[in-house]
Amino acid sequence: MPAANPLTPLKPADAAAEPVKAAKAGKKKAAKPPVRLEDKLAKLGLRKDMDFVLHLPMRYEDETQVVSMRDAAFRGGSMVQVEGIVTECDIQFRPRRQLVVTIADDTAQVVLRFLNFYGSQTKQLAAGTRVRARGELRHGFFGAEMVHPGYKVINEGAPLPTSLTPVYPAGDGISQLMLRKAIGSALNRVNWQDTLSPALLASLGLQNFEASIRLLHNPPPDVDEHALMEKEHPAWQRMKFDELLAQQLSLKRAQASRRAKGATALSVVGELSNSFLLTLPFVLTGAQEKVLAEIRTDLKQAFPMQRLLQGDVGSGKTVVAALAAAQAIDSGFQAALMAPTEILADQHFRKIAAWMEPLGIKVAWLTGSLKKKEKDQAKALIESGEAQLVIGTHALIQDGVEFSKLGLVIVDEQHRFGVGQRLTLRNKGQKDGDGGGKGKVPHQLMMSATPIPRTLAMTYYADLEVSVIDELPPGRTPIVTRVVDQNRRDEVIERVHAAAQDGKQIYWVCPLIEESEALQLQTATDTHAMLSLELPDLKVGLVHGRLKPAEKQVVMDAFTRNEIQVLVATTVIEVGVDVPNASLMVIEHAERFGLSQLHQLRGRVGRGANASVCLLLYQGPLGGTAKQRLMTMRETTDGFEIARKDLELRGPGEFLGARQSGEAMLRFANLETDQWLVDKARSLATELLEKDMPTVEAHLNRWLGFREEFLRV
Ligand code: ADP
Ligand code: MG
């Protein structure tokens, strides 16, 4: 085996930053026992030898060359390695305490500047010491300098490494050196048995597992550096393929186990479904018809539906959900609809109850804010089966709510809920009540206005069927979006005034202040006061997260009835609120919001016949990503396009949230650029599950371990 690390590592930046952390921690040191190295490693997911072996470099550093300081000066900004003798080393105090070390070679000199450092470094870097330093060379006030370079004290003539140096993902208190040692010894112990046969590898055009891993940890001198850095090297391709295969296997297995569970077939589309459609004040769009047909077919199966209904904001998902519920009720079962906020749940309740109660259906309402007595009443209705449809918030999944015969669970804005919450509601159907049947689970319909690009949905949610409403109800006029400098607030206020005089209603969304809820509340209150002052002839309302549900309701009701013209709101209105007469939206500090959040907010307008406008106020100067977000919002109202852009700007992990996706499983593969590998992995997964379970087990065992838990739902 080649020596794991021909060069002791240059001092990593994270080690340099430690003294500061140590000083902070020092204050409350007594309370906390020191964290053991094993625990620190476990935090990185490193427990077994194979975990270490699969802990692959996130990048590589090229320490194979030293350039003269004069030449380095001409490569301004890029990473270079220089070598020289320390001529001066001292601690300076201006503008703040720092260690300043000057090194020189025959051609020039370079200043190394450390803002965080250990006292011992002054000795380590005493005048006369020979140092190799690697970093970005900049031209500072005192000439060429490197800030926080990696460095290493060496003897004259110390050999340069002949291959690229791996840099591993690390955490607090874990140095590169430690990782290299641990990985190096794991490489010697691990069982290298390939999970895929040579014949299979040949047909897929993939490399052997052991060779790939060894190359990635210890790249040979003649490696194609570009391919290595860009993760295009065949060794990387093998890793990506393996993890994608593990993901696909795992998802498909979850799907199979779902199918193996029983559900009651909700096979009657009858009386209620039909009269409901007849009494609706509109006809379904083609897209609504299409997804309804898909859902109806699923509900008739004797295994649980698990369908994600995607549709842009305002595309009309609620009525489709109500029709699904109608099928459950027609079939003699209960349906439950859970929404993430009280406002939204309430809106659903009103709308759906208004549709269904005239048809003789009992709709129950259950949220956390109900008084105990009301809650008990609701629970009794649910338990007796008298309530055929139950609408509420997560109170629906709290203890003590027993359904008599729950056949269908609908979760609105599903991404707002954690996996656990959805699972609990699904398990409500497993009781052996008279109709539900022992061991049977209800069908599940999840809804989301945060569209997930198709490639992502297919890959992450292999266990979900996806229906898409890709058409808005007729008569909507597109929303015009303008990006406006905060300095022009006065004009914006005038515009609000003019709109209100025209009989339109306005949302004014206060800035998101992530650090402090109190501050956010303060800002909302201030904005409300300010707008009330500046718009004395209008009624300005305020709604925020700290209001009691009943208080919120009073404000929302007044807004719905147009007794309030301007509604100042925090992001509580982000989700689902439906007031068609509202056609102007102002979002302050739009640069602080994420793309999907902006899209959701904007979706509150453009719901009626009025042409709607969304003004995104921003405070300059804008960072690159913020600018791109705002430009995207200006250019398109297409939720899918926005989601695609969001994915591009943020990456899939953050996009879906680790809690509900298989995100934690993908470390190397990139779903956008490695689509061809995804396709291969998907078809191999199907094949293996059909005829080679030992390989399936071995592969999952190697790649997943505890991670598979993520996909069980
Ligand atoms: P979302 O998909 O964002 O949940 P909603 O279900 O709230 O959208 O529907 C938005 C609005 O469009 C509602 O006022 C709803 O009654 C109305 N709507 C839904 N379907 C249609 C349709 N086919 N024709 C006209 N209006 C519709
Ligand atoms: Mg909705």
Side-chain angles (χ1 to χ4, degrees):
M1 201 190 96
N5 305 295
L7 177 67
T8 34
L10 296 173
K11 199 151 186 49
D14 60 352
E18 257 162 42
V20 177
K21 288 202 177 110
K24 265 191 209 156
K27 281 182 208 144
K28 40 184 176 180
K29 211 183 227 158
K32 271 194 201 159
V35 185
R36 290 183 317 154
L37 178 60
E38 280 146 67
D39 295 336
K40 288 181 191 163
L41 290 170
K43 234 175 124 183
L44 286 177
L46 303 175
R47 296 180 181 85
K48 298 178 302 195
D49 281 340
M50 191 49 86
D51 299 334
F52 284 89
V53 166
L54 292 177
H55 195 67
L56 296 172
M58 55 181 179
R59 60 189 166 83
Y60 296 87
E61 282 184 349
D62 186 356
E63 293 167 2
T64 60
Q65 286 175 37
V66 165
V67 292
S68 75
M69 293 184 193
R70 193 178 46 207
D71 287 351
F74 291 111
R75 300 199 197 167
S78 59
M79 292 292 277
V80 288
Q81 180 164 251
V82 296
E83 180 177 326
I85 308 278
V86 176
T87 57
E88 248 178 293
C89 168
D90 53 2
I91 296 174
Q92 296 180 2
F93 289 88
R94 268 177 227 169
R96 52 180 268 209
R97 191 167 178 270
Q98 50 186 286
L99 178 66
V100 179
V101 180
T102 308
I103 59 172
D105 65 8
D106 298 341
T107 62
Q109 67 172 38
V110 168
V111 170
L112 314 181
R113 200 176 288 279
F114 301 90
L115 297 169
N116 298 310
F117 58 97
Y118 293 102
S120 61
Q121 277 173 274
T122 51
K123 290 208 190 75
Q124 187 196 20
L125 292 168
T129 311
R130 179 173 286 270
V131 173
R132 231 170 243 166
R134 186 167 182 280
E136 277 175 37
L137 194 74
R138 297 192 183 284
H139 295 280
F141 194 65
F142 299 105
E145 66 172 38
M146 287 181 179
V147 178
H148 279 282
Y151 73 89
K152 172 179 182 250
V153 173
I154 52 155
N155 294 322
E156 188 166 6
L160 283 164
T162 51
S163 62
L164 298 176
T165 310
V167 180
Y168 294 102
D172 280 350
I174 301 180
S175 71
Q176 292 292 317
L177 183 62
M178 264 185 237
L179 278 172
R180 280 172 217 193
K181 277 193 180 147
I183 291 167
S185 65
L187 285 172
N188 289 330
R189 283 191 303 262
V190 89
N191 170 12
W192 285 111
Q193 179 69 47
D194 206 310
T195 54
L196 305 178
S197 71
L200 193 53
L201 290 175
S203 75
L204 291 163
L206 291 171
Q207 282 197 357
N208 157 286
F209 179 73
E210 175 172 1
S212 302
I213 295 263
R214 288 198 184 276
L215 181 139
L216 294 172
H217 285 298
N218 299 300
D222 60 350
V223 74
D224 176 348
E225 283 182 28
H226 177 80
L228 194 64
M229 302 274 195
E230 298 298 317
K231 291 204 170 65
E232 283 162 8
H233 191 282
W236 276 123
Q237 280 174 10
R238 174 65 206 268
M239 295 303 114
K240 293 179 184 184
F241 181 82
D242 271 23
E243 75 168 355
L244 287 167
L245 178 63
Q247 187 204 36
Q248 291 299 318
L249 285 171
S250 169
L251 289 166
K252 281 186 199 293
R253 233 170 40 167
Q255 186 174 29
S257 85
R258 169 169 65 91
R259 287 188 168 238
K261 286 198 185 100
T264 308
L266 304 172
S267 44
V268 186
V269 175
E271 179 82 42
L272 175 62
S273 305
N274 295 332
S275 10
F276 179 43
L277 270 179
L278 286 175
T279 53
L280 266 185
F282 47 75
V283 291
L284 297 185
T285 61
Q288 283 170 321
E289 292 278 9
K290 181 192 68 187
V291 301
L292 179 62
E294 288 165 352
I295 292 167
R296 282 184 165 167
T297 309
D298 278 8
L299 291 178
K300 290 179 183 169
Q301 309 280 6
F303 60 86
M305 167 173 88
Q306 190 152 308
R307 191 170 275 279
L308 176 65
L309 174 57
Q310 292 193 341
D312 211 345
V313 285
S315 61
K317 295 184 289 295
T318 315
V319 66
V320 175
L323 280 157
Q327 183 169 343
I329 299 167
D330 269 337
S331 308
F333 285 82
Q334 289 172 301
L337 167 59
M338 179 165 80
T341 67
E342 187 118 11
I343 289 184
L344 186 53
D346 180 76
Q347 242 176 37
H348 282 324
F349 177 71
R350 284 158 192 253
K351 188 167 243 171
I352 296 174
W355 281 331
M356 292 209 173
E357 281 182 345
L359 302 170
I361 300 303
K362 178 78 192 156
V363 187
W365 163 244
L366 184 65
T367 69
S369 67
L370 288 182
K371 299 211 178 65
K372 172 141 192 336
K373 203 174 136 205
E374 299 165 316
K375 225 183 254 177
D376 288 343
Q377 274 170 358
K379 281 185 199 170
L381 286 175
I382 297 168
E383 198 162 348
S384 70
E386 200 179 324
Q388 292 145 296
L389 177 59
V390 187
I391 298 177
T393 57
H394 58 272
L396 284 183
I397 57 178
Q398 265 142 18
D399 288 346
V401 184
E402 303 273 351
F403 288 81
S404 150
K405 39 184 179 173
L406 183 57
L408 168 67
V409 161
I410 303 167
V411 182
D412 195 14
E413 306 292 345
Q414 64 92 23
H415 59 286
R416 291 301 190 96
F417 293 98
V419 165
Q421 288 175 309
R422 281 188 275 133
L423 190 61
T424 314
L425 186 53
R426 194 178 76 181
N427 288 343
K428 293 274 176 196
Q430 280 179 317
K431 304 273 160 12
D432 48 353
D434 46 348
K438 207 169 194 164
K440 290 191 174 172
V441 295
H443 297 276
Q444 238 193 107
L445 178 65
M446 285 162 271
M447 304 198 285
S448 178
T450 302
I452 300 162
R454 209 165 187 85
T455 49
L456 252 197
M458 302 257 298
T459 318
Y460 281 105
Y461 292 115
D463 190 31
L464 277 189
E465 320 292 337
V466 181
S467 290
V468 183
I469 305 186
D470 50 7
E471 174 188 5
L472 293 180
R476 303 267 170 90
T477 40
I479 306 167
V480 174
T481 302
R482 299 248 176 280
V483 178
V484 183
D485 192 312
Q486 193 94 2
N487 292 334
R488 292 169 53 198
R489 216 158 175 263
D490 288 348
E491 291 167 48
V492 172
I493 292 172
E494 264 168 45
R495 186 145 187 183
V496 166
H497 191 242
Q501 303 236 291
D502 254 10
K504 296 170 186 160
Q505 288 173 273
I506 300 99
Y507 291 105
W508 187 293
V509 179
C510 295
L512 178 73
I513 303 172
E514 272 177 343
E515 313 80 274
S516 158
E517 203 192 335
L519 208 58
Q520 176 151 346
L521 192 63
Q522 185 59 48
T523 314
T525 318
D526 291 350
T527 307
H528 175 249
M530 183 278 295
L531 286 175
S532 305
L533 261 179
E534 302 212 21
L535 300 165
D537 53 334
L538 300 183
K539 184 97 175 77
V540 184
L542 172 64
V543 57
H544 56 71
R546 282 289 182 83
L547 290 182
K548 296 219 177 68
E551 298 168 327
K552 247 184 248 175
Q553 203 49 62
V554 170
V555 181
M556 290 312 296
D557 284 350
F559 191 59
T560 309
R561 290 194 300 263
N562 200 359
E563 288 160 16
I564 287 175
Q565 288 83 50
V566 184
L567 183 63
V568 176
T570 54
T571 48
V572 295
I573 60 144
E574 179 191 339
V575 169
V577 174
D578 186 27
V579 179
N581 191 47
S583 58
L584 174 58
M585 159 135 326
V586 180
I587 303 177
E588 277 198 81
H589 280 287
E591 77 278 2
R592 293 187 195 164
F593 292 90
L595 256 183
S596 72
Q597 211 170 11
L598 287 172
H599 180 63
Q600 289 273 338
L601 283 168
R602 182 171 61 182
R604 300 311 109 215
V605 295
R607 303 190 144 235
N610 278 333
S612 291
V613 176
C614 175
L615 303 177
L616 301 174
L617 268 56
Y618 72 91
Q619 170 113 56
L622 287 177
T625 331
K627 192 183 262 170
Q628 287 208 42
R629 285 199 298 262
L630 297 183
M631 271 161 47
T632 305
M633 288 299 293
R634 191 180 59 196
E635 280 157 19
T636 180
T637 51
D638 176 347
F640 281 86
E641 177 58 23
I642 289 172
R644 206 191 50 70
K645 191 75 190 170
D646 204 19
L647 177 65
E648 191 182 301
L649 293 175
R650 294 199 296 165
E654 214 185 315
F655 188 80
L656 291 167
R659 280 191 313 172
Q660 61 173 337
S661 70
E663 174 261 338
M665 293 169 52
L666 290 184
R667 289 178 287 170
F668 314 124
N670 175 326
L671 292 171
E672 294 280 287
T673 52
D674 299 322
Q675 191 57 45
W676 63 285
L677 280 172
V678 178
D679 295 340
K680 280 188 180 196
R682 187 178 292 136
S683 62
L684 180 62
T686 311
E687 199 180 309
L688 291 176
L689 282 166
E690 269 167 22
K691 49 184 203 209
D692 190 356
M693 283 315 281
T695 297
V696 171
E697 295 299 334
H699 195 80
L700 284 177
N701 212 7
R702 173 165 290 172
W703 280 91
L704 294 188
F706 67 95
R707 291 194 171 87
E708 196 177 14
E709 287 305 308
F710 282 101
L711 298 168
R712 283 275 171 226
V713 191

